[in-house]
Amino acid sequence: MKDLTLFGMPIALDEETGKLVSSSSDIRWEDYSRKYSDKMEGLLADPDYKKTDDPYYDFYKAIVSDKTRTAFSDVALRYDSTVILPGYAGKECKKTAGHFHLPIPGETFSFPELYQVISGTALFVMQRVDDYKKEGPMTVNDLLLAEVHAGETVVIPPDYGHCTVNIGEGTLVFINLVSVNSMNYYDSVKQSHGMSAYVYHTETGYQIEKNPNYTFACEPKIVVPTDSPKLGIYKDVPVYTEFLKNPDLYQYLNAPKELENEFFAMLKEK
Ligand SMILES: O=P(O)(O)OC[C@H]1O[C@](O)(CO)[C@@H](O)[C@@H]1O
């Protein structure tokens, strides 16, 4: 068992099964699901990779303790976790499917989403396109690849489609804080055979390749996150703990306009 102290609550990773385990009966998740490689069909760099028994990632929806449930529901935010298992599809690093968020009701832009890495190393692929519901090739106007290590946090800006890639050698565990009203849109990513950057494992780390099913009006930028007091983000401090101190500070996840620049300002080019 590996203790995952960055969760801010007693949750460990069972390294044999890759599953999260809570040592407190008070902590629950609303739902759990595991995605296997067959469900990634059409999203991978290699269209022929279809090993159906290869586990890709687990999703734990709405993790709360009885004591903290209302702190999250009062501000309409949800705390989930995703665990991407080790391994590769050919040479491609394992990743989540990827999606865009639909616009906030009554607005022209979508909900942002906060992610903190709990264990392992992630590359968050974040892409802004000309039209996320386009049927032909989407044009990428901005492509940010955020390298995020355990204890670090990134916020996906409104209107950026995103997926998370496991670029470490082991299991990647991360949490997200997101509006309960945020809805996902998958079709255009699926039709494009994944996000606009494919990430491959190499001897020295990882390598990026542009997905040929997109048109590019920009070059990919590798960035790293920094602390942001305005966003309640501090390296090695669990977002869960920080959120409970001041849930209202995280209202930017429901109403992002005022702090939007900060989502970009906290990212530094590598
Ligand atoms: O919905 P996808 O693209 O399979 O990815 C799952 C991801 O989406 C979320 O469910 C919430 O937006 C994340 O917690 C998770 O990492």
PDB file of all heavy atoms in Angstrom, residues 52 70 81 98 131 169 257:
ATOM      1  N   THR A  52      -8.016  -5.747 -25.507  1.00  0.00           N
ATOM      2  CA  THR A  52      -9.218  -5.431 -24.716  1.00  0.00           C
ATOM      3  C   THR A  52      -9.026  -5.590 -23.213  1.00  0.00           C
ATOM      4  O   THR A  52      -9.765  -5.025 -22.448  1.00  0.00           O
ATOM      5  CB  THR A  52     -10.401  -6.316 -25.143  1.00  0.00           C
ATOM      6  OG1 THR A  52      -9.957  -7.655 -25.088  1.00  0.00           O
ATOM      7  CG2 THR A  52     -10.905  -5.957 -26.509  1.00  0.00           C
ATOM      8  N   THR A  70     -21.238  18.678   2.597  1.00  0.00           N
ATOM      9  CA  THR A  70     -21.959  19.932   2.304  1.00  0.00           C
ATOM     10  C   THR A  70     -21.018  21.051   1.880  1.00  0.00           C
ATOM     11  O   THR A  70     -21.420  21.937   1.141  1.00  0.00           O
ATOM     12  CB  THR A  70     -22.808  20.399   3.510  1.00  0.00           C
ATOM     13  OG1 THR A  70     -21.933  20.471   4.625  1.00  0.00           O
ATOM     14  CG2 THR A  70     -23.969  19.457   3.792  1.00  0.00           C
ATOM     15  N   SER A  81     -11.352  11.600  -8.491  1.00  0.00           N
ATOM     16  CA  SER A  81      -9.976  11.179  -8.749  1.00  0.00           C
ATOM     17  C   SER A  81      -9.918  10.238  -9.952  1.00  0.00           C
ATOM     18  O   SER A  81     -10.857   9.474 -10.199  1.00  0.00           O
ATOM     19  CB  SER A  81      -9.393  10.468  -7.520  1.00  0.00           C
ATOM     20  OG  SER A  81      -8.056  10.071  -7.793  1.00  0.00           O
ATOM     21  N   GLY A  98     -10.177  12.293 -23.334  1.00  0.00           N
ATOM     22  CA  GLY A  98     -10.115  13.689 -23.780  1.00  0.00           C
ATOM     23  C   GLY A  98     -11.481  14.203 -24.181  1.00  0.00           C
ATOM     24  O   GLY A  98     -12.281  13.478 -24.789  1.00  0.00           O
ATOM     25  N   ASP A 131     -13.332  25.594 -33.635  1.00  0.00           N
ATOM     26  CA  ASP A 131     -14.738  25.220 -33.421  1.00  0.00           C
ATOM     27  C   ASP A 131     -14.758  23.792 -32.876  1.00  0.00           C
ATOM     28  O   ASP A 131     -14.496  22.845 -33.614  1.00  0.00           O
ATOM     29  CB  ASP A 131     -15.480  25.306 -34.766  1.00  0.00           C
ATOM     30  CG  ASP A 131     -16.903  24.804 -34.693  1.00  0.00           C
ATOM     31  OD1 ASP A 131     -17.355  24.450 -33.583  1.00  0.00           O
ATOM     32  OD2 ASP A 131     -17.556  24.749 -35.755  1.00  0.00           O
ATOM     33  N   GLU A 169       6.816   6.445 -14.970  1.00  0.00           N
ATOM     34  CA  GLU A 169       7.037   4.996 -15.162  1.00  0.00           C
ATOM     35  C   GLU A 169       5.952   4.191 -14.453  1.00  0.00           C
ATOM     36  O   GLU A 169       5.660   3.063 -14.825  1.00  0.00           O
ATOM     37  CB  GLU A 169       8.405   4.580 -14.590  1.00  0.00           C
ATOM     38  CG  GLU A 169       9.604   5.266 -15.243  1.00  0.00           C
ATOM     39  CD  GLU A 169       9.849   4.774 -16.668  1.00  0.00           C
ATOM     40  OE1 GLU A 169       9.460   3.640 -16.981  1.00  0.00           O
ATOM     41  OE2 GLU A 169      10.432   5.550 -17.454  1.00  0.00           O
ATOM     42  N   LYS A 257     -14.571  34.133 -15.328  1.00  0.00           N
ATOM     43  CA  LYS A 257     -14.158  35.303 -16.115  1.00  0.00           C
ATOM     44  C   LYS A 257     -13.151  36.193 -15.383  1.00  0.00           C
ATOM     45  O   LYS A 257     -12.111  36.556 -15.927  1.00  0.00           O
ATOM     46  CB  LYS A 257     -15.388  36.116 -16.538  1.00  0.00           C
ATOM     47  CG  LYS A 257     -15.731  36.067 -18.021  1.00  0.00           C
ATOM     48  CD  LYS A 257     -14.605  36.153 -18.974  1.00  0.00           C
ATOM     49  CE  LYS A 257     -14.507  35.880 -20.364  1.00  0.00           C
ATOM     50  NZ  LYS A 257     -13.663  34.902 -20.907  1.00  0.00           N
TER      51      LYS A 257
END
